[in-house]
Structure formats: structure tokens, C-alpha cells
Amino acid sequence: MTQTAPSKRTQVGRLPKRGDYSKETIHGILDAAFLCHVGFVVDGQPFVIPTGYGRDGEILYIHGSAASRMLRNLEKGVDACVTVTLLDGIVLARAAFHHSMNYRSVVMLGTATLVEDAETKREALRIISEQIVPGRWDDVRLPNDQELKATTVLAFPIDEASAKVRTGPPADDEEDYGLDIWAGVLPLSLQPGTLIPDPRLKSGIDVVPTYRVGLQ
Amino acid sequence: MTQTAPSKRTQVGRLPKRGDYSKETIHGILDAAFLCHVGFVVDGQPFVIPTGYGRDGEILYIHGSAASRMLRNLEKGVDACVTVTLLDGIVLARAAFHHSMNYRSVVMLGTATLVEDAETKREALRIISEQIVPGRWDDVRLPNDQELKATTVLAFPIDEASAKVRTGPPADDEEDYGLDIWAGVLPLSLQPGTLIPDPRLKSGIDVVPTYRVGLQ
């Protein structure tokens, strides 16, 4: 890539050809997933916590209980890192050394902002829900005021971000291509199974929804 | 859980009943995955980077290029956090507020140690490889001295760790169970696809391997 990283600290160091700083690539990866890992520091100790998210333009929304340690720390505006990883396959090279993974990842640096306005908060919750299970928001009982109050929503900027992508077959040393070893890629993807009805599902509700869960 | 967390900072705060500090649970989750997210701090800024791993007893091995920024920082012995997350499903409650995910995660705190001894290093690489694609190590060209030198292997202790697990159906408010809304769980799992042979696969190698990729 000839693009420029938005900052020195987001520049992909190892294998810079895998780095990509275009909005198109970054937004594409963020829209294909819904789970991120959030990194923040408390008393010098980093913590990495998984959570769902939703993207709206240049903002990534995350949410959780107002009592969450992670959110209470992040809403102070501490330096944070949000990473999204899609694992696409295992690269089986002829040499152990050249084994790899195919993946798409985005690393975002910045500080979160508390979403206080009730209308923006409701909209952010809708965006998170729609990113995880598109269509579900229209089917459910929406948050009441008490639930909204018990929920913290944070906005994280996507502007200082880098993507890293590996695709394609293994890259072995030239002399190893003659070896009698099978090589190629084992694709991996997060797949939905069969919906499991709640044991307390109300009788008469037998129309099983067909949500397309947003993992690509 | 009535078990005690190994430290205050690993104690599960939100929804403590989901916390589990037993070796059995922690090792079980670590053995069912092979991808972790590593958190470390550079100049006050946390970074979260995905990478593969292998477990051996109370040690988690990670590896990479000796030129990797992450590894060069970690081998200094800085405070780090390694998190492993298995996403098992989306919990579709009747209320938006009670939507959740089923998951198994482990958060480990500690500092990494550089593996310098060549024999231990080779064994660690075998352990990582076997965790990702069991059986592959016996089929490939093993690392030579030069490749071993270009690879950094770090050992991360699993002793200060906590697991967090959610399973089962949604938990709605009692008054919502009467609503005409479908509820249940959409299971999710990382599934292998069909092996894609390397375009440069040597002719005559038509026995496609049947690796069981270690994601459960």
C-alpha cells in the first residue's frame, strides 16, 4: 500500500504490504464483524475485554452496564485501543516457518466519549443491535427509560485506525515447492447453527425468524 | 461460583456468577481455541493485537518475527493481558435490553518471558502448531536454525487468570414472557470450509489432508 498511516503509532510495522489505511477497507472490515476487543489501562496494567459494537460513519459504538469496570474506565477518556479481527483461514505452507493465517483486522486508537443525549443513545443501541442481528430491532420490546439509564453507551472514533489483511495461498521458500507436502488454505468462518427456541417460548409463536447474522 | 479469584484485578466484576477461576475451566477454554488478543502498553497507549498461541500446562506460548513490535515490547517483561474469546451464540431475548451473547472467555494478566533455549523453543513452536492444526507438525518441513533465529517465542504464565462464561437461553423480565416475540439462541461457531490447494501444489500430491482444526 502506498497510503499513509494516520499516525506513526498506527503504521503497520511487520509486513507493511499487509497494511491498509483506506476508509473503504477499514469500514468494510468493521461492517463484516460485530465483536471487538477493547484495550485499556488501569494502574499501568492493560486489560483486554471482548464486547459487541456497531459502526455509524466514523464512530464505533459500544455499550454495557453502567456498572461495568471497562466502561467506567473508558468514559473517563483514557487512551484505548479497539481491535476487530476476522479469521478467514489457516495457511498450510510446506515449511512450518511459513505457516500463517488469513485474516482481516482493524486496530483503532483513541479515547471514548460518553453518549449522554437520550435520543442519540437510543439510536446508538439500535445501531449496535442491527450490526449484530440485522432486523431484530423491529421485532423486540425496545428499551424503557429505566433500562436506558442502566446502560452506558460510548462513542469511539475510527479516525486513527489501520487495517491489516492477509489473503491467498502460502508463500514458501522456492526450494520447498518441490517437497512432497500438501499445501494450501483451510478456510474458516463463523457460521450460524440452527436456532434454539427458548424453553419458555410462548405457545403459538412458531414462526422462526430468519435473521442473517452479520458475520462475513 | 464460590471460588476465589487469583487476584483482585482478575476478579469478575459485572455478573460475578459468570466468573470461574478453576484450572479446569480456564484450561478447557484455552484448549478449545488458538487465537488470542494480546494487550500491552507503549508510552501510555494500549495496543491490542491478535495472534495464535499454544498451551503447555501453565504456560501459553506465542511467537512471531523477531522484528515484531509486539514481541519486542513484550519480551522486555512489560505488564500484559492475554484474552481468549470463543463466541458461541447470540441470545435473542424478548427485550432489546436483555439481548446478550453466549461465550467463553479467559483473561490472563502477567508478563512474558523470552524462550531462549533452542530445544524449548522448538518444542514451543510444535505446541503452537499442534494447537492450531493438530497433526500438521509431522507433515511439514521443520524450522532450520536460521528460521529458529528469526522467530521469537514468548512464554506467558496462566496463573493470574479468570474465565467468564455465559450459556443457555435468554433471561427476560417476567412480564415480557407473555409478549408475542420469538426468543431463543442462535448458535455460532467457527467452521472449517473445503481445503483450497495451493496453485503451485506439486503434481501427484492429491491426498488432501483431514486436519481437525482445533476450534470447539
Side-chain angles (χ1 to χ4, degrees):
Chain A
M1 299 302 299
T2 53
Q3 292 162 324
T4 309
S7 64
K8 193 165 181 292
R9 59 189 194 166
T10 48
Q11 193 158 354
V12 171
R14 280 298 302 157
L15 305 172
K17 66 179 181 185
R18 292 187 189 167
D20 192 331
Y21 310 99
S22 71
K23 282 193 185 193
E24 197 187 344
T25 302
I26 290 167
H27 290 179
I29 294 168
L30 295 179
D31 292 352
F34 59 71
L35 189 78
C36 63
H37 281 80
V38 180
F40 57 98
V41 188
V42 180
D43 298 335
Q45 172 64 52
F47 289 85
V48 177
I49 306 291
T51 193
Y53 71 85
R55 181 180 80 87
D56 183 31
E58 290 293 319
I59 292 172
L60 204 80
Y61 287 117
I62 63 172
H63 79 306
S65 163
S68 150
R69 176 175 61 177
M70 174 177 78
L71 298 177
R72 279 186 290 117
N73 273 287
L74 290 176
E75 74 179 59
K76 291 178 198 161
V78 296
D79 291 324
C81 175
V82 179
T83 296
V84 171
T85 307
L86 286 161
L87 180 60
D88 293 326
I90 307 292
V91 181
L92 302 163
R94 290 151 189 90
F97 183 75
H98 287 295
H99 277 63
S100 187
M101 297 191 197
N102 281 340
Y103 60 90
R104 290 163 288 162
S105 66
V106 172
V107 172
M108 288 157 278
L109 306 182
T111 59
T113 310
L114 185 66
V115 176
E116 301 192 73
D117 171 65
E119 202 173 321
T120 313
K121 203 166 161 180
R122 280 182 198 278
E123 176 60 6
L125 292 173
R126 189 190 68 77
I127 285 164
I128 296 169
S129 177
E130 287 297 290
Q131 177 129 7
I132 301 174
V133 190
R136 182 68 180 167
W137 193 255
D138 295 333
D139 295 344
V140 297
R141 179 182 60 73
L142 297 181
N144 57 38
D145 290 347
Q146 192 190 331
E147 290 170 340
L148 208 63
K149 208 171 164 180
T151 305
T152 291
V153 175
L154 298 180
F156 195 84
I158 307 178
D159 56 338
E160 192 178 349
S162 62
K164 203 170 175 186
V165 176
R166 191 204 186 281
T167 58
D172 270 302
D173 293 340
E174 206 47 47
E175 60 267 32
D176 286 340
Y177 281 90
L179 295 173
D180 289 329
I181 299 172
W182 193 93
V185 171
L186 178 66
L188 290 170
S189 60
L190 200 64
Q191 293 287 338
T194 307
L195 282 161
I196 304 166
D198 186 348
R200 293 187 60 183
L201 193 65
K202 192 181 169 187
S203 65
I205 303 184
D206 45 13
V207 181
V208 177
T210 55
Y211 301 117
R212 178 193 62 78
V213 169
L215 288 142
Q216 297 156 34
Chain B
M1 299 302 300
T2 53
Q3 291 159 324
T4 310
S7 63
K8 192 164 180 294
R9 61 188 194 169
T10 49
Q11 193 159 356
V12 172
R14 281 296 305 158
L15 305 172
K17 67 180 177 182
R18 291 187 190 166
D20 192 331
Y21 309 100
S22 70
K23 282 192 183 191
E24 197 186 343
T25 301
I26 290 166
H27 291 179
I29 294 168
L30 295 179
D31 292 351
F34 59 71
L35 189 78
C36 62
H37 281 78
V38 180
F40 57 99
V41 188
V42 180
D43 298 334
Q45 172 65 51
F47 289 84
V48 177
I49 306 292
T51 193
Y53 70 85
R55 181 180 80 87
D56 183 32
E58 289 293 319
I59 293 172
L60 206 79
Y61 287 116
I62 63 172
H63 79 306
S65 163
S68 149
R69 176 174 62 177
M70 174 176 80
L71 297 177
R72 279 186 292 117
N73 273 287
L74 290 176
E75 74 179 59
K76 291 179 198 158
V78 296
D79 291 324
C81 175
V82 179
T83 296
V84 171
T85 307
L86 287 160
L87 180 60
D88 294 325
I90 307 292
V91 181
L92 302 163
R94 292 152 188 88
F97 183 75
H98 288 295
H99 277 63
S100 186
M101 297 191 198
N102 282 339
Y103 61 90
R104 290 163 287 161
S105 67
V106 172
V107 173
M108 288 157 278
L109 306 181
T111 58
T113 310
L114 184 66
V115 176
E116 300 193 75
D117 171 67
E119 201 174 324
T120 312
K121 204 167 161 181
R122 281 182 198 276
E123 175 61 7
L125 292 173
R126 189 190 68 79
I127 286 164
I128 295 168
S129 177
E130 286 297 290
Q131 176 128 8
I132 300 173
V133 190
R136 183 67 180 166
W137 194 254
D138 295 334
D139 295 345
V140 297
R141 185 193 41 85
L142 297 181
N144 58 37
D145 288 348
Q146 193 191 328
E147 290 170 341
L148 208 64
K149 208 171 164 181
T151 306
T152 291
V153 175
L154 299 179
F156 195 84
I158 307 178
D159 57 336
E160 192 177 347
S162 62
K164 204 168 174 185
V165 176
R166 192 205 185 279
T167 58
D172 269 303
D173 293 341
E174 206 48 47
E175 58 268 33
D176 286 340
Y177 280 90
L179 295 173
D180 289 329
I181 299 172
W182 193 92
V185 171
L186 178 65
L188 290 170
S189 59
L190 200 64
Q191 293 286 337
T194 306
L195 281 163
I196 303 166
D198 186 347
R200 293 187 61 184
L201 193 65
K202 192 182 168 186
S203 68
I205 304 187
D206 44 12
V207 180
V208 176
T210 55
Y211 301 118
R212 177 194 62 77
V213 168
L215 287 142
Q216 298 155 32

